[in-house]
């Protein structure tokens, strides 16, 4: 490797230095000395520090010591990863480097060298201190316990305050100085301290003492800190606010002694200067606050009070107060106002009436005025002087000014004289006056009542108006109304008025009231009086009021009667004027009383009493007898009903003699009897024998219980039918009645012939018996799952029904290829679901090996191998195993065998070879035999090997961008197999390979439209690969996506009117659907309540509502040269997740799908799906399509047609789901022999579509983007080559929605 010039130069310089160093040592000698001693060092925390130590002629061992603790002789100091001795050791460089320094590193370090051998005094040591610098944190100012203070407020009266600045956690402590307004303060008022902490940090603390003065107000104080670890000072500041009192306020706007008049506006201004904060300023009037609003400015506060002067302001003291938070007391200024005003009014006090010859005194009083007012009097407009007393004056302390008073003495003469006296007050322009008229008193005339005359008859609740008038009198009389001794008021309808004209002077009071029953025969009095009448004058009227009775009462004797014995009813009306007439009725029919009389009643009316005698029966118990009391003069009446109680023995009312009930339901039969007293005991009988209540249980529930006259039968069975009698008893006797319980139950098969084994050409006879109530015509029907078998062929099949629940099926000339399979007996009587059982016809034939039988088997050593042999035959096939030519001894522990019956006449024998060794690898023969013959099947058993190539590789389906392939698994070599699939464009040598596929079907996606592709498959396991199949599959993808894709994508461009129309039609259809469902539910409930079992117990009539169709769902016609199918989620409504309600899931039933020839399917829905297989079988006729292969609206065509069979089955299942709300209780029923929804077996799959394209009738499943096992192949495809629209996809769902 070539060295650069710089590297060579560096090496030469290092060699020269080493040479000089060695020579220098030789010159100095062998004594070890310090060439460079360590020095004290400062470094910031976290940075790297280096302590230098260099030794000449080092002979001893060197170590560094920290605070007396040795760090060791190793240059990489153990236990201290941050400490390292660095430098060229050969040159004596032993520098200590400390990285990421911490406070723990702040210590004394010594560089020590042990003495040389033989020279104990040659030891070396030198010390240096490593100081770790830590910048302090930000400073803060504290005042009176508050940290980080930015404003300090202090009163000027305080002698001094202390403010503390703290700069924490520095090393060393920061240096602090204070500044005021940017100028540094003297040291005399400052004390500095340093507080140490346990972590070697230091806090600087400085206390500043301030003596407050006004000129210090709003000054900025700054704490400044400096530190060797920072470049610039750190600071914090505060503002000092010095508080002091304001100056005495000053008032402007009025001059003392100046007179002002009321009504003028006066503006007073109070101004207070200085103070921190500025002052609060308020105005007071005579000590009461009148204004607190003020305006604060920087150096003063102003309060301007403006008001309109009135009389109360005369001699008023207006005071202005000013103060702030530090004022010891309020500072004040005040003024006194002088206001001139005249009196606003005068008032004359004294009587207005007096008798002739009396002497009275009148007093005149003015309102307040300043200065004092004068008073003058006049009599009928003429001045008076001789009767006037000297005026007096009063000071108005509240409103200010003076009040003037003057009195005159008057003597009245004459009976009708009226004299007017006037008083006038005067002060300047103010001259108010007042007057009073005096008159002579005399009595009025006797009052007169109008509006009613005593003896007049009026109805109650009539508006009666009476007026009482008193003429004359001075003063006018006071008129009052009295009812008896109680005076009436306005609340009683009193309205009074007077007329003061000289010629028509009178007083009048009107009484308006609604007459009441209590007014009858009552005196109403009108009284008139004034001050001249010692006793009131009065007039009296007495009212006559007609009123009806308020209520009626009926009493019976005895209170409780007995049937056939006499009862007496007495009716008494309330008081009435005139007396009421009494009539009796029952059920609107009149009755005649025995006696009627009257007695004195309230409010001077009459009571009427009537007596009625009756002889009641049981029907009269709780009957109502009515008594009506009528006042004929008023045509008003009161009626009361009286319910009588009659004792009688029990009776039964409206008994239903027949009760129909479904088996499995619970029924409540109400046979409650009526009696008085109540029925005390019920006894129940069935067919003459006493019924045991609360006896045996069904499904953990007591099925016969009774509460009173209500019988509850739970989980009714057919054994409960019969004639029932109920007997009711009470203290009056006993009664009984009978009824019939008719238990109706679904048809069930009680017997079916076992499987029949016949010779070819022989005859097979099957019998099926059913139990049902009701027993309808054609209660039993026969069907078969044998493809192509015609049940209507009279030469082949004969069915005999006796209409008593027994049916016989005879099959003639039995043939294996056309007649062998399952036959199903189905019974149904329109109650619940059908009951089915199946049997089988077997035609004898010798054993045959299954076409899927493998001729190879493989296994590793020391495991258990399994060899399978599949065979069909009738009667049952027997199996014998040979190894080579020697029979296998299955009694040995080496071998075990098992035989399974997989399907009708299909069997599997499995030979287990335990702990396989090389000697077990051989040719094994499986011999299959029965009474008709035998057949061998050879299997080569060997060790594990690579798999065989897949066979029967075929095209399943293709679109414009995807292709689906399937293949048949070959021999797997005894190991798990995966598959590689590849494709390439024809003519191109590059392949696209997809590996690790575990299933035997795969979909290539992402292909290009209209391109010809070549596709091949290969199998592989751990032993190797099979190689790709020799016959590739060639396919050309379509030129574009299906037409319906474009249709859907273009939907957004549809006109708005079309979208709205579709939405409206959809809503209408939905509403019709809901209305129909509600209608049928209500109709069923009504019929159930009426007991019409023929309708409510049947569900099959709903099938007639299903609309029929004369054509298949997908019409025929397509190009046989090309087909595709598209999977659509809407078709999932017809998947086998819809369970059948027609079969019992826990017994073998006939397979109704077109693949029945492959054998029966047993088990739960999950196992049924797993057992299904899809053989290559054509479902296309000569036109390429077989009509009626998807579900249609109604069953049509030949019963043996598998498509029609399945379509009918699928329709019923789907319809059953949509009609679950139409059952008798609105809930799902679960009865014995009637399977519920939760336990129903999954129906078979619909037939898969097929197409011919040079592939010998290949099935074409839909094309979802995932892999399928053969048994998982999708089972729904639209007609190949057709254009799908939304109407096609949803037509069947819409039809069901209308049911």
């Amino acid at each position: 490797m070539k060295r650069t010039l710089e590297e060579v130069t560096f090496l030469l310089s290092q060699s020269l230095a080493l040479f000089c160093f060695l020579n220098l040592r030789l010159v100095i000698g062998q004594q070890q000395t310090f060439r460079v001693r360590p020095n004290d060092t400062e470094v910031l925390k976290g940075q790297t520090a280096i302590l230098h130590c260099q030794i000449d002629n080092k002979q001893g061992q060197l170590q560094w010591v920290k605070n007396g603790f040795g760090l060791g002789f190793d240059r990489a100091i153990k236990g201290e990863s941050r400490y390292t001795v660095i430098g060229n050791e050969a040159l004596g460089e032993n520098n200590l480097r400390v990285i990421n320094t911490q406070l723990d590193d702040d210590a004394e370090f010594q560089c020590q060298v042990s003495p040389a051998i033989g020279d104990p005094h040659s030891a070396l040591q030198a010390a240096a201190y490593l100081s770790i610098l830590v910048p302090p944190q930000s400073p803060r100012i504290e005042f009176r316990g508050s940290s980080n203070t930015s404003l300090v407020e202090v009163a000027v009266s305080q002698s001094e305050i202390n403010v503390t600045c703290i700069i924490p956690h520095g090393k060393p402590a920061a240096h602090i100085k204070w500044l005021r307004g940017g100028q540094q303060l003297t040291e005399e008022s400052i004390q500095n301290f340093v507080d140490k902490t346990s972590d070697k940090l230091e806090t600087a603390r400085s206390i500043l003492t301030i003596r407050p003065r006004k000129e210090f107000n709003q000054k900025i104080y700054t704490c400044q800190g400096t530190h060797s670890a920072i470049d610039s000072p750190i600071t914090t500041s505060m503002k000092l606010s010095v508080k002091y009192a304001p100056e005495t306020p000053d008032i402007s706007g009025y001059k003392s002694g100046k007179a002002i008049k009321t009504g003028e506006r006066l503006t007073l201004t109070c101004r207070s200067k200085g103070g921190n904060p500025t002052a609060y300023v308020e105005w007071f009037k005579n000590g009461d606050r009148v204004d607190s609003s003020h305006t604060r400015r920087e150096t003063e506060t102003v309060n301007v009070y403006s008001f309109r002067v009135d009389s109360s302001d005369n001699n008023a003291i207006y005071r202005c107060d000013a103060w702030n938070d530090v004022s010891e007391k309020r500072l004040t200024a005040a003024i006194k106002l002088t206001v001139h005003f005249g009196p606003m009014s005068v008032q004359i006090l004294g009587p207005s009436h007096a008798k002739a010859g009396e002497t009275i005194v009148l007093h005149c009083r003015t309102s307040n005025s300043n200065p004092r007012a004068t008073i003058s009097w006049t009599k009928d407009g003429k001045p008076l002087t001789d009767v006037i007393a000297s005026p007096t004056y009063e000071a108005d302390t509240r409103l200010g000014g003076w009040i003037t008073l003057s009195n005159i003495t008057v003597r009245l003469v004459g009976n009708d004289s009226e004299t007017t006296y006037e008083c006038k007050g005067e002060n300047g322009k103010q001259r108010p006056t007042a007057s009073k008229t005096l008159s002579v008193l005399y009595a009025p005339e006797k009052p007169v009542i109008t509006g009613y005359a005593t003896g007049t008859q009026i109805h109650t609740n009539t508006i009666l108006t009476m007026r009482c008038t008193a003429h004359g009198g001075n003063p006018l009389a006071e008129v009052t109304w009295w009812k008896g001794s109680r005076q009436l008021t306005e609340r009683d309808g009193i309205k009074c008025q007077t007329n003061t004209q000289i010629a028509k002077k009178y007083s009048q009071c009107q009484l308006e009231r609604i007459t009441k029953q209590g007014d009858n025969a009552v005196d109403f009095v009108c009284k008139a009086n004034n001050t001249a009448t010692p006793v009131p004058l009065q007039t009296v009227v007495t009212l006559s009021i007609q009123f009806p009775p308020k209520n009626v009462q009926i009493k019976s004797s005895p209170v409780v009667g007995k049937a056939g014995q006499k009862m007496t009813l007495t009716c008494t009306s309330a008081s009435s004027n005139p007396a009421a007439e009494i009539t009796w009725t029952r059920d609107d029919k009149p009755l005649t009383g025995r006696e009627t009389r009257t007695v004195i009643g309230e409010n001077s009316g009459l009571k009427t009493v009537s007596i009625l005698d009756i002889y009641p029966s049981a029907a009269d118990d709780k009957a109502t007898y009515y008594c009506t009391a009528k006042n004929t003069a008023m045509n008003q009446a009161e009626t009361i009903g009286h319910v009588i109680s009659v004792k009688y023995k029990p009776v039964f009312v409206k008994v239903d003699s027949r009760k129909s009930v479904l088996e499995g339901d619970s029924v409540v039969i109400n046979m409650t009897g009526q009696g008085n007293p109540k029925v005390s005991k019920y006894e129940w009988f069935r067919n003459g024998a006493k019924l045991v209540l609360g006896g045996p249980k069904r499904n953990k529930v007591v099925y016969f219980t009774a509460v009173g006259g209500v019988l509850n039968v739970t989980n009714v069975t057919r054994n409960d039918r019969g004639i029932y009698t109920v007997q009711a008893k009470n203290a009056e006797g006993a009664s009984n009645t009978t009824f019939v319980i008719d238990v109706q139950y679904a048809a069930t098969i009680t017997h079916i012939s076992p499987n029949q084994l016949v010779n070819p050409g022989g005859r097979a006879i099957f019998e099926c018996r059913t139990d049902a109530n009701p027993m309808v015509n054609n209660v039993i029907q026969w069907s078969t799952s044998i493809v192509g078998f015609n049940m209507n062929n009279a030469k082949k099949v004969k069915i005999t029904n006796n209409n008593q629940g027994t049916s016989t099926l005879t099959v003639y000339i039995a043939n294996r290829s056309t007649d062998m399979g399952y036959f199903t007996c189905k019974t149904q009587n329109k109650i619940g679901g059908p009951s089915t059982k199946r049997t089988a016809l077997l035609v004898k034939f010798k054993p045959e090996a299954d076409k899927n039988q493998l001729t190879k088997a493989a296994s590793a050593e020391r495991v258990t191998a399994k060899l399978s042999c599949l065979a069909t035959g009738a009667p049952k096939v027997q199996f014998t195993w040979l190894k080579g030519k020697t029979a296998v001894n299955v009694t040995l522990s080496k071998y075990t065998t098992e035989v399974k019956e997989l399907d009708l006449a299909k069997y599997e024998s499995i030979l287990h070879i335990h702990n396989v060794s090389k000697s077990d690898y051989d040719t094994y023969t499986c011999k299959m035999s029965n009474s008709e013959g035998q057949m061998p099947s050879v299997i080569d058993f060997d060790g594990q090997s690579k798999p065989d190539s897949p066979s029967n590789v075929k095209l399943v389906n293709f679109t414009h961008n995807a292709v689906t392939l399937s293949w048949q698994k070959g021999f797997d070599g005894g190991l798990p197999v995966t598959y590689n699939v590849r494709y390439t464009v024809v003519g191109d040598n590059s392949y696209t390979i997809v590996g690790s596929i575990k299933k035997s079907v795969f979909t290539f996606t992402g292909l290009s439209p209209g391109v010809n592709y070549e596709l091949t498959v290969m199998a592989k396991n751990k032993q190797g690969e099979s190689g790709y199949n020799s016959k590739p599959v060639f396919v050309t993808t379509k030129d574009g996506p299906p037409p319906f894709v474009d249709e859907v994508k273009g939907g957004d461009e549809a006109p708005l009117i079309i979208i709205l129309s579709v939405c409206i039609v959809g809503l209408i259809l939905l509403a019709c659907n809901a209305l129909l469902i509600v209608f049928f539910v209500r109709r069923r409930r009504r019929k159930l309540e009426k007991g019409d079992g023929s309708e409510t117990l049947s569900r099959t009539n709903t099938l007639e509502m299903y609309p029929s169709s004369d054509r298949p769902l997908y019409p025929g016609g397509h190009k046989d040269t090309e087909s595709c199918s598209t999977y659509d989620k809407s078709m999932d409504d017809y998947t086998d997740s819809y369970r059948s309600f027609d079969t019992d899931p826990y017994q073998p039933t006939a397979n109704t799908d077109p693949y029945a020839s492959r054998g029966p399917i047993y088990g739960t829905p999950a196992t049924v799906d797993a057992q299904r297989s899809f053989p290559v079988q054509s479902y296309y006729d000569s036109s390429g399509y077989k009509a009626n292969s998807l579900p249609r609206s109604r069953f049509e065509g030949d019963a043996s047609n598998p498509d029609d069979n399945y379509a009918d089955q699928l329709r019923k299942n789907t319809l059953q789901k949509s009609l679950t709300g139409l059952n008798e209780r609105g809930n799902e029923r679960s009865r014995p022999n009637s399977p519920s929804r939760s336990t129903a077996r999954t129906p078979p799959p619909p037939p898969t579509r097929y197409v011919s394209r040079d592939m010998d009738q290949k099935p074409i499943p839909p094309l979802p983007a995932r892999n399928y096992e053969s048994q998982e192949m999708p089972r729904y495809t639209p007609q190949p080559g057709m254009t799908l629209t939304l109407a096609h996809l949803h037509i069947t769902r819409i039809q069901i929605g209308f049911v």
Side-chain angles (χ1 to χ4, degrees), residues 441-495:
L441 303 176
Y442 57 90
E445 298 176 2
K446 184 178 180 179
V448 177
I449 297 176
T450 58
Y452 179 80
T454 300
T456 302
Q457 299 287 331
I458 58 176
H459 292 177
T460 185
N461 296 324
T462 300
I463 298 177
L464 173 64
T465 302
M466 296 185 293
R467 295 180 180 87
C468 179
T469 305
H471 293 274
N474 188 26
L476 288 174
E478 178 185 4
V479 178
T480 58
W481 279 98
W482 299 73
K483 179 182 178 182
S485 60
R486 183 175 71 86
Q487 182 178 351
L488 303 180
T489 65
E490 291 183 358
R491 294 183 178 180
D492 299 306
I494 300 296
K495 295 181 181 179

Side-chain angles (χ1 to χ4, degrees), residues 122 147 155 159 266 406 408 419 445 475 492 575 632 642 650 796 806 871 1022 1038 1068 1072 1194 1206 1211 1230:
S122 61
S147 61
S159 59
L266 180 63
S406 178
I408 62 171
T419 305
E445 298 176 2
D492 299 306
S575 181
T632 56
H642 179 72
K796 190 73 174 178
T806 302
K1022 290 183 178 180
K1038 293 190 175 184
I1068 293 173
C1072 293
R1194 184 177 298 207
Y1206 184 76
R1211 278 195 304 277
S1230 178

